[in-house]
Each structure stands twice: as structure tokens, then as C-alpha cells.
Amino acid sequence: MSISMFIKATGTSLAACLAIVAAPATAQNRYVFGGSDTEVAPRATITFDGTTTFAATDTGWISSAGEHQLGNANYITGSFASVRFNSWFNFALGAAAPLSPYTSAVLTLKSGFTEGVTSANPAALTLFDVNATLLELDAQRDSGDTIGQGLFTDLGSGDSYGSFIFSAPTVVGQTISISLNSNFLGRVNAGLVQDFSIGGTLTPSSIAAVPEPATWAMMLVGFAMVGGAARYRRRTTRIAYA
């Protein structure tokens, strides 16, 4: 597993990533938004009714181990080196509620790059409501942090706000747009979400791992034995006449 690739994908420092990139070399990566911290700001925006746009105040990820690097704006989502990542996008709308109800909302995200996502292996990014505050999300957390593990779960569960299907690779500089549903609009129009975050998770988060070399060897030996047995049976078969 390439440490430099991990740093590029997640925006993690060398010291912080050494403990994570300890998975077998055959672990299959499957993620979106790799290298998203290199995207030109704003990396995320929400546009209401096609006219009113708010830029994200912050973005980030939290790993399944509860880890997060303070100030890391990268929002990789999916699986890398057998570690899962959920993402978050924080916004500050300011007013308690719009003067008139919004009828539509579109979340636009700079795409970064993907790995393990193809037309044959598409992946769904699903967005959820988030209970945590920005202060809780963007805090320095080490692997094994139980609060961070709870935040990871929070980012990938709850009321869904919408989804997007990745069916082809993306590169830095592209954007994707996701229509947010009535769950989100209802909360905004009621003034329930002013300074809020949207969580993201990828499903399925991984693809089948490539067998280890030893596993391949055992499979080949097994195939050879099955083939040999079949040939032996053919040679020893006798035809009985009535």
C-alpha cells in the first residue's frame, strides 16, 4: 500500500497515516472525493430555488476508527487500506428561517478523484442529517477515539437527505450535484437547521478483496487435483454390454 497515495487521497499527514496504512497490500480501495482538499474553494455549496447559494464553512472526514485530523478539509468517503471514511459538509445559513419557504435545494460538491468505482461497480453516496456540532466534528481525534467512532456512525445514519450514484471515475476539477429532498427542505423552512452539517457515506463501501498469493496457489492446486481426478475417472471407465 502506497503511503504517498494515502496522503494524497485523504490529506492526512505522514505521521498520522503510518498507523493506518498497515493493511495487506491486497486490500481493495473504493472511495470518492479523494484529494478533495486540493480542490479550489468553495468545495461545497447549497443553492436554494436556483438563486440563493451558501458556501460550506468547513468539510472533513471521520474514520471508522474514530480518527480525524484537526483542520483537514478533505472529505474522502468510502474505504481505503481497510479503513472506512464518512464525510461531512458544514453550512451556516444565518437566518432562523427563510422569509418564504424554499422549494428546492441542490448540493454541489467538487468531486476530487475516485478509486474502485466503475460502470460495472457503481457506488451510492447517501447523505444524512447530522446531530453533532462543527466543534465536535472538526476536533483532533486519534484512532480508537470512542466519541469519534460515534460521530462516524452519526454521519452515515439517520434521516436521508438524498443520494448520488457514482458509475464512472472522477478527477479533481469536476463537480457533482445532488438534489436534497423534503426531509432537508422541511428542516430548513422550519428554521431547524441554521448552522448544520450534512453527513455522507458510500455503499457498498468496498469490493471483494483480491486473494493473497498463497490463496491463489491453493486454488490452483485444488483445480489441478479436480482436473486430474476427472481424467483418471475417464481412463478407468469400462463399458458394460448387456
Side-chain angles (χ1 to χ4, degrees):
M1 181 60 61
S2 167
I3 292 178
S4 61
M5 184 63 179
F6 183 86
I7 294 172
K8 182 178 180 182
T10 66
T12 305
S13 66
L14 175 60
C17 79
L18 285 174
I20 296 180
V21 189
T26 52
Q28 296 298 286
N29 302 328
R30 183 174 172 84
Y31 60 81
V32 297
F33 304 132
S36 47
D37 55 316
T38 65
E39 293 278 16
V40 176
R43 301 178 183 93
T45 61
I46 290 180
T47 300
F48 293 97
D49 294 342
T51 57
T52 305
T53 298
F54 295 88
T57 56
D58 205 354
T59 57
W61 55 255
I62 294 179
S63 78
S64 53
E67 184 175 11
H68 174 69
Q69 188 177 24
L70 176 65
N72 188 344
N74 187 294
Y75 43 94
I76 184 174
T77 312
S79 180
F80 192 103
S82 299
V83 179
R84 290 190 60 191
F85 297 86
N86 285 344
S87 53
W88 48 269
F89 313 90
N90 182 263
F91 294 87
L93 301 187
L99 296 177
S100 58
Y102 292 125
T103 59
S104 69
V106 176
L107 175 67
T108 301
L109 303 171
K110 298 287 181 66
S111 69
F113 58 85
T114 61
E115 184 177 357
V117 176
T118 65
S119 58
N121 287 294
L125 173 74
T126 306
L127 305 175
F128 292 96
D129 68 322
V130 176
N131 296 318
T133 66
L134 177 58
L135 187 63
E136 292 170 320
L137 292 171
D138 194 20
Q140 183 67 38
R141 300 187 186 279
D142 297 326
S143 179
D145 188 303
T146 56
I147 295 178
Q149 291 169 354
L151 293 173
F152 171 86
T153 300
D154 185 20
L155 296 177
S157 61
D159 291 335
S160 173
Y161 283 164
S163 62
F164 181 87
I165 303 296
F166 285 86
S167 57
T170 63
V171 296
V172 172
Q174 290 181 261
T175 60
I176 64 168
S177 296
I178 307 170
S179 294
L180 302 177
N181 60 26
S182 58
N183 287 336
F184 176 75
L185 285 171
R187 295 190 179 192
V188 171
N189 289 331
L192 300 178
V193 287
Q194 299 151 43
D195 183 348
F196 65 95
S197 295
I198 296 175
T201 193
L202 195 69
T203 52
S205 63
S206 61
I207 54 180
V210 175
E212 298 285 351
T215 304
W216 277 115
M218 292 177 64
M219 290 170 63
L220 292 174
V221 170
F223 292 151
M225 293 176 65
V226 170
R231 287 194 296 273
Y232 177 79
R233 284 196 300 271
R234 285 198 298 271
R235 287 198 302 268
T236 57
T237 299
R238 297 292 184 267
I239 300 175
Y241 295 93

